[in-house]
Amino acid sequence: MDRVNFSIDQLLEETSKLVSLGIISKQECKDIMKKREYHEIKIFNRNSHKSDFLTYIKYELELDRLFHKRGKAKNIEFDYRLRSALRHAIILFGSATKKFPKDEALWINALNIRMKRASKEGTGRLFSIALSNIPRSAKLWKLAATFEFEVNKNIQNARNLIQAGIQFNKTDKSLWHYFFLMELTYISLLFSDITFIDKKIEEEEEEAIKLNLDSLRKSEKIEKDEFITFGKEILSADKLKQSSLIRGQIAQIVFRKAIKSSIGQDFDFRKHFYKIASKFLDIGKDSENPMGAGELLQKEILESLVTDFPNDDKTYIFLASIEQSNSSEPSLLKRLNNSTKILNQGLSIIKSENYLFNYIHFIRQIIVDIKLKENKLIENITDILLKAYKYSIENNILKESGYQYYIELLLELGKTNDAIKVSEESVKLFKNSNQLWNQRINLLIKNEMVVKLFDSLSNNNEYNNIDKCFEMAVKNCTSSSTSSSNLFIEYFKYQVVFKFDKDYKKIVDLFEKLLKQLDGNVKVQNTLKNFLLDYTFLNLPKDKLKQTYQLCFNYLPISKEFYQKCILYEEERIEKNINDIRSLYEKCLSIKEISSKDVDVWLNYRNFELKSAGDIERANTIATRGKKSLADPLPLLSQLQ
C-alpha cells in the first residue's frame, strides 16, 4: 500500500498543476485521483494481469486527449504540464513490459505510443530492450527499422536492423518485403527531397537502436550471416542521385538475395515484390532512361517467375492478369487477346484440369468486370472458353468434373445439341460416374427441346434412349455411393410414373431388383419403400396397400416413420380393418428400441383402441403394457391421467 500512496502523491502534484491552469476543476481532480488509486491497487497486486495495466493505460491516454483538447481551447496546448497523463501512460507501459517482457503486443503498443505521441528521447533504448527480449518477433524488427528510417532518418541503421531481423526470423516473408519497400521508398524520397539524407550520417548516438547482435545470436542459437553491403557511394545523397543505384539497383540486390533464401521458392512470396514495385514505376525515369526503377524491377521479377515456376498454374494466370490490367493498352479486345495467348501457352505446357479451371475462372471473371453492352467482347470470350474446352478434350485433359462444367457451359450458351453430344461422350469415357449419368438423364428428361429431338434420333443409339440410359447408369454406378442415391430413386420414379402404367407386377419386380442391388444402402432403400407406399395409396386399388407394406417388411430394417405411415394410411380408409391396424402397431412395438423409449407409439395405440375400436379393456391392457415396457414410464403416466 505504501507504493500505491507514493505513486498517488506524485500524480496528485502533477494533476494539481492542471487545476491551477484551469484545465480541470477541483472536483474533477478528486474524481481522477480516486480512479487512479483504484487502478494503482490493481497493478500493484501480486496477481495483477496484463489487462489491469492496459485498462489503466487506456484511462491515462483518454485523460491526455481531454487535457490537450481543453488546453487548445485556452491556447496553451503545448504546455508540458498538459502531457502529465501521457508521461504516466509511458511509465505504466514500462512497468507492464517489465512484468511481461515476452509479450509482443505489449511492446508494440508501448513503442507505437512513444513514436506517435511522445518525443523520440529514450525510444531507441526501449527498442533495444524489446528486441533483446523477443528477437523472434518480425513485427518488432520492422517497427525498429521504421523508427530508424522514418524518425531518425538513418537508412544504414534501418538496413542493419531489418537484416538482423531476417537472420532471427528466416521463414518470415514480411521482413524481406519491408526491406524491398524501404529501399524503394528511400530512392523515391531522394527524388522528391534531396535534403532527406543531405546531412552526414552522424545521428544522435543516444537515440539510435543499439544491440549486441553477437550475444543475441548466441542466446538464440542463430548462425551469423553477413549483411548485404552497398558501397560507400550510397551514403552520399548527391552521389547516389547521380548513380545508377538510384534506378532501383539497391532494391534489386535485396530481391536477388531474398529469392536465394530458404523461402525464395515460394511463388506468392515473389509475386508480392512485383506488387510493391508497382508503386514506384516512374522513379528514375527520364529522357535517357525510359524505364523507371519499378518497371525494371517488375521485369526482373517476372523473368524469375517464368524461369523458376514454368509448370505452375499461378505463373500464367498472373502473367495474364498483368496483360488484362495493362492501362497502356486502351483496347479491351487486344488486352483479352494478349491474356488468352498467355493462358493458351500455359495450357499447352501444364495440361492439367486444375489449370483449365483456373483459366476458365479467369476468363469468366472478365465478363463480370466489363459492361454488358460490349457484345463483341462477350462473343470473343465465349469463343475462347469453347476453344479451351475443345483443346482439353482433344488432349485428354478433361476429367469427370471438367465434362460436367463443359456441359453446363454449353447449356448456358443455348447449345443444347452440343451438350447432348458431349454428355454422351462423357458417360462413355466415365461409365462409373454417378454425376455424369445424373447430368445426362436430367438432360434427356427435363429439356423439352431434347425430348423433341429424340423422335428424330436413331433408336439404335442406346445413349439417346432414356430407358436404356437409365438402365446403363444403374448397372454401371456404385449402389453404395451416396452420390448415386438420386440416380436409383429417379430411375424407379421414372419407370413407375411414366412407363409401367400402374402395372403392379412390373412395379414390384423392379422394386425388388433395385433393393437387392442397393443391399447395404439403407437410406436409399427406405426412400424407395416410402415412395412405393405413397404411390400405392394414391394410385392403386385398395387391396394393394397391405401387399405393398408387407412386401417392404421383408427388407429390414423398417423405420418407425414407415410403420406410422402404414398405420395412417390404414386409418384413412373409409372401411377400416381394425385387425390390420392392430397388427401394424404390434409389429412396430416388437422393436425393443421403440417399445422401451417411444411414449407416443404406446399412447397412439391406446387411443386407437379407445376411440376407433371402442375397446376400453384392450386400451387399458395396452396402457399397462406400456408402463412395464418403457424405461421411463412417467411421461406416459402423466398423459394417461
Side-chain angles (χ1 to χ4, degrees), residues 35-52:
K35 205 154 193 176
R36 279 173 168 169
E37 184 177 10
Y38 166 78
H39 286 303
E40 290 287 334
I41 292 169
K42 292 275 284 185
I43 66 169
F44 281 120
N45 190 299
R46 186 177 297 177
N47 297 319
S48 61
H49 299 286
K50 183 179 78 168
S51 59
D52 297 325

Side-chain angles (χ1 to χ4, degrees), residues 33 192 201 236 247 333 378 428 465 559 610 624-625 631:
M33 296 314 298
S192 61
I201 306 300
S236 163
R247 300 184 61 247
L333 191 57
I378 293 175
K428 285 179 180 178
N465 183 287
S559 67
L610 196 62
T624 303
R625 284 172 58 196

